[in-house]
Amino acid sequence: MSADTRQKYSPAFEDAVARYVTGDDADRSEKTMLEIYTKLDYAKSFFEFCHHFVDLSGKRFIEIGCGTGYVSAAVAQMGATVASTDFAQVAVNLTHQRLHEHGLHGDVFVSDLREPPAPHRLAAFDFVFCFQVLEHIPRKDQWKALSNLFKMVARGGYLFIDTENSLCPYDRHDTKTWLLRLMNHNVADSVIAALGKGINFREPSTGTYINTRDYLSYDEIIGAAMVNDFEIVNAFMPHGTKATYLRTITGSDWLHDNILQYFDIERYSPVSLLLHKCS
């Protein structure tokens, strides 16, 4: 999207996002501009791909972990009725402000995914969107959070989950290292320290540094989904197939055609999963 046609945001909104992302209201860094503009374009392209499976126009949609609201804005522009929620009040405020600047409306509220949904939100949504939220929740609470996601999806509705996978040998979230996450924590921490890698990252919603180490596996998520009457629609969102997923990562079809077409690589990749609740 060119600079002259994209959404123009107020300086107040840009300041607020800068504080959220970097902690500096004067910082117009690449990271801030990514959060304000680029991610909105990505969300639009993601939901255009989703159109292969579901038309969001007129659907009831909820974004779990709304951050700065770029997903909610993109979906509302597609004609969905949007709800947005986050654990942090600052994220809720930013989402409300972004929607307002687009001239859009939504039900924006604070909630904790570890707590049961309000009764009027049970089985209330045709599309539940949860992007990189579960890995921010302590493992002992992740099962409750996953169960609560399932409870919000209406019969015939969809659930999208993007999260880390404990079976994945690459840690894309914290250390950007291979294999270490599969090791004993005490051993892994000493190796990470020797490599000069940090195991903590800044959580914008709280402004503090946190550690995210214990993830659910792809198999655990799929097993729980099937028990709750969900079926897999696509395990390679938004790439569509294993071949296109690998082409995006490697730049060629060689790895797929010669080796990985014979393996269930989704079991060992970061989770990017679209589920459908059976009618």
Side-chain angles (χ1 to χ4, degrees):
M1 182 177 292
S2 63
D4 60 343
T5 59
R6 70 185 183 183
Q7 170 72 27
K8 301 297 193 300
Y9 291 109
S10 67
F13 179 73
E14 291 193 358
D15 284 345
V17 173
R19 288 194 298 272
Y20 177 81
V21 173
T22 68
D24 180 358
D25 63 358
D27 189 345
R28 291 294 182 274
S29 66
E30 182 178 347
K31 187 175 181 181
T32 300
M33 294 299 105
L34 172 71
E35 185 69 31
I36 295 173
Y37 294 109
T38 309
K39 287 186 178 181
L40 178 63
D41 294 340
Y42 171 77
K44 290 177 180 178
S45 66
F46 177 87
F47 289 107
E48 287 171 0
F49 178 80
C50 284
H51 194 72
H52 293 292
F53 310 109
V54 55
D55 180 0
L56 288 172
S57 178
K59 297 296 192 300
R60 300 162 298 171
F61 178 97
I62 185 168
E63 180 185 8
I64 309 296
C66 54
T68 64
Y70 59 89
V71 165
S72 293
V75 176
Q77 288 179 324
M78 298 178 73
T81 300
V82 171
S84 316
T85 186
D86 202 286
F87 177 77
Q89 182 68 56
V90 61
V92 167
N93 293 345
L94 286 170
T95 297
H96 185 271
Q97 187 172 354
R98 189 190 289 262
L99 290 173
H100 176 75
E101 297 215 2
H102 281 273
L104 300 168
H105 302 282
D107 176 20
V108 189
F109 60 97
V110 172
S111 71
D112 186 338
L113 190 54
R114 295 170 294 183
E115 299 296 328
H120 66 281
R121 296 190 177 104
L122 294 173
F125 299 98
D126 303 304
F127 200 116
V128 174
F129 182 90
C130 185
F131 181 79
Q132 296 184 7
V133 172
L134 289 174
E135 67 266 27
H136 294 246
I137 297 172
R139 182 176 171 83
K140 66 183 179 65
D141 296 322
Q142 286 179 29
W143 290 111
K144 288 188 292 185
L146 189 60
S147 175
N148 290 332
L149 286 174
F150 294 151
K151 292 174 182 176
M152 286 186 276
V153 184
R155 285 283 172 186
Y158 294 83
L159 169 62
F160 173 72
I161 298 175
D162 184 291
T163 189
E164 299 305 307
N165 176 4
S166 64
L167 296 176
C168 180
Y170 178 69
D171 179 14
R172 67 171 180 170
H173 201 278
D174 296 316
T175 64
K176 308 298 188 293
T177 57
W178 286 91
L179 301 177
L180 294 184
R181 68 152 44 145
L182 305 180
M183 301 172 69
N184 174 281
H185 280 186
N186 292 333
V187 175
D189 287 354
S190 62
V191 175
I192 290 168
L195 292 173
K197 302 280 188 178
I199 60 173
N200 300 316
F201 76 100
R202 184 178 180 277
E203 170 54 51
S205 63
T206 62
T208 59
Y209 285 83
I210 64 173
N211 180 296
T212 58
R213 299 294 298 279
D214 295 315
Y215 311 122
L216 295 175
S217 70
Y218 174 88
D219 290 353
E220 288 172 321
I221 293 172
I222 291 299
M226 289 182 173
V227 168
N228 284 273
D229 209 19
F230 285 82
E231 60 185 2
I232 300 172
V233 177
N234 194 292
F236 298 100
M237 296 288 288
H239 307 287
T241 67
K242 183 189 302 186
T244 54
Y245 171 73
L246 290 167
R247 187 183 307 122
T248 300
I249 295 173
T250 66
S252 79
D253 290 321
W254 184 91
L255 192 61
H256 172 268
D257 293 347
N258 291 280
I259 300 175
L260 292 181
Q261 66 167 309
Y262 306 107
F263 294 87
D264 295 328
I265 64 166
E266 64 271 23
R267 294 187 64 214
Y268 306 100
S269 304
V271 175
S272 190
L273 183 66
L274 183 64
L275 299 167
H276 176 249
K277 190 166 188 176
C278 300
S279 300

